[in-house]
């Protein structure tokens, strides 16, 4: 991997609260776990080579056609399959963002161009080039204006737009939906059941696109990439999606409360966000120092964001959780300033 990932909980065995992952961790999975326990005997047989049952269930859930949906082993597999499908292309990647776009493009011999805005990304590319956009974005949490993005897509029909909508459930801002983009011939949209249902260990993602565009990606897919427990979980989660409804407005209010509290502290700048993700900059310290202090002294894990392209060692990222947990984080950061910075 070019830059690696931020959720390194596996390296910190004594963490009590994990803010380093962008997953909201407070759904009750008791019934899902019971269901998967009942389904465990199915691991003694091969799963469907391609997860067609889950694709059909998703199509019904999204009011799409089955050939407009492709289930993958997490959204990450979809990223690599797209890069493989268009191997050797030019790719414009809006930065800062998730490193896997660049990793996948390098693996499949793309010429990468790193851009800070959509105008730059679409101004110099040759036909059949790819534009990678995380919207809402990781690590900034910001949402691109829907009409601006749609205008760019329609105005550049020869470009393929890869829209990563993994964080769409975590914003109240208008974003393009699967039902809107499957009718556009140049959009591949990524989705993450990992994020929506807080099951990152199961690796469940999917692509939506027009059937002709999606067919070219399907040809790159390996058989059995989505295992049986993941398929069983996906079907269960869709059937019980009402149990996983998130109060987005309440989450956004809590995000703003945390952002305001952090902004009131010395030495911290908080970037504007439209989601539960907050990107912050320390004025007089390295994020690695804060991360280490919080982990050792408070059993709290944050994301050192210095390995995002265009960010430096002063940046860290959190994803807000419950009010109680967020207050513990705020007290811990204040403790760091009092004991380390003074």
């Amino acid at each position: 991997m070019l830059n690696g990932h931020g959720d390194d909980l596996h390296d910190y065995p004594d963490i009590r609260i994990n803010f380093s992952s962008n997953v909201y961790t407070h759904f009750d999975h008791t019934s899902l776990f019971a269901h998967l326990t009942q389904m465990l005997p199915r691991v003694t047989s091969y799963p469907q080579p391609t997860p067609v049952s889950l694709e059909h269930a998703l199509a019904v859930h999204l009011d799409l056609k089955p050939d407009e949906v492709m289930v993958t082993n997490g959204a990450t597999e979809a990223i690599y399959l797209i890069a493989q499908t268009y191997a050797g292309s030019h790719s414009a990647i809006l930065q800062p963002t998730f490193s896997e776009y660049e990793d996948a493009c390098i693996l499949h011999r793309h010429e990468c161009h790193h851009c800070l805005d959509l105008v730059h990304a679409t101004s110099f590319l040759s036909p059949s080039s790819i534009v990678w956009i995380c919207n809402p974005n990781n690590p900034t949490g910001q949402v691109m204006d829907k009409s601006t993005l749609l205008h760019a897509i329609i105005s550049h029909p020869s470009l393929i737009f890869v829209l990563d909508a993994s964080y769409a459930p975590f914003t109240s801002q208008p974003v393009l939906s699967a039902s809107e983009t499957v009718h556009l011939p140049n959009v591949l949209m990524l989705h993450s059941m990992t994020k929506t249902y807080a099951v990152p260990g199961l690796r469940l993602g999917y692509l939506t696109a027009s059937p002709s565009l999606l067919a070219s990606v399907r040809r790159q897919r390996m058989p059995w990439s989505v295992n049986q427990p993941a398929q069983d979980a996906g079907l269960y989660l869709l059937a019980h999606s009402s149990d996983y409804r998130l109060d987005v407005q309440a989450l956004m209010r809590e995000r703003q409360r945390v952002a305001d509290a952090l902004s009131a502290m010395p030495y911290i700048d908080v970037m504007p966000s439209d989601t539960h993700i907050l990107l912050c900059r320390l004025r007089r310290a390295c994020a690695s120092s804060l991360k280490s202090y919080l982990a050792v002294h408070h059993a709290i894990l944050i994301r050192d964001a210095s390995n995002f392209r265009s960010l430096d060692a002063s940046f860290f990222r959190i994803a807000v959780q419950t009010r109680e947990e967020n207050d513990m984080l705020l007290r811990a950061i204040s403790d760091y300033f009092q004991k380390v910075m003074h």
Side-chain angles (χ1 to χ4, degrees), residues 166-229:
S166 294
Y167 299 104
F170 301 96
T171 184
S172 56
Q173 296 298 314
V175 294
L176 286 171
S177 66
S179 59
E180 292 172 304
T181 54
V182 294
H183 304 296
L184 300 170
N186 61 332
V187 175
L188 288 157
M189 181 170 277
L190 282 70
H191 310 265
S192 174
M193 294 185 76
T194 290
K195 305 295 190 306
T196 304
Y197 298 100
V199 287
L202 283 171
R203 312 309 307 134
L204 268 176
Y206 59 99
L207 275 169
T208 57
S210 66
S212 60
L213 196 58
L214 205 52
S216 62
V217 183
R218 287 186 200 276
R219 287 193 286 271
Q220 313 299 326
R221 179 162 61 177
M222 289 171 45
W224 301 299
S225 70
V226 184
N227 65 61
Q228 189 64 60

Side-chain angles (χ1 to χ4, degrees), residues 22-77:
N22 287 331
V23 175
Y24 182 77
T25 59
H26 293 282
F27 291 124
D28 182 359
H29 289 313
T30 304
S31 297
L32 171 64
F33 297 158
H35 174 74
L36 290 179
T37 300
Q38 292 180 336
M39 295 292 105
L40 274 179
R42 287 160 61 87
V43 303
T44 60
S45 300
Y46 280 95
Q48 293 176 334
T50 57
V52 292
S53 295
L54 183 52
E55 289 173 349
H56 280 246
L58 271 167
V60 171
H61 183 74
L62 299 167
D63 196 22
L64 302 179
K65 300 173 184 176
D67 59 357
E68 295 171 333
V69 181
M70 175 182 164
V71 172
T72 56
N73 184 355
T76 299
E77 185 194 16

Side-chain angles (χ1 to χ4, degrees), residues 10 39 45-46 99 110 120 138 153-154 201 205 217 233 237 243 262 281 310 312 318 321 331:
H10 46 81
M39 295 292 105
S45 300
Y46 280 95
S99 67
H110 290 226
H120 183 209
N138 168 29
I153 292 167
I154 295 172
V217 183
L237 291 167
D243 296 336
L262 287 171
R281 185 177 69 86
S310 81
D312 61 30
I318 62 170
Q321 300 296 327
R331 288 193 295 269

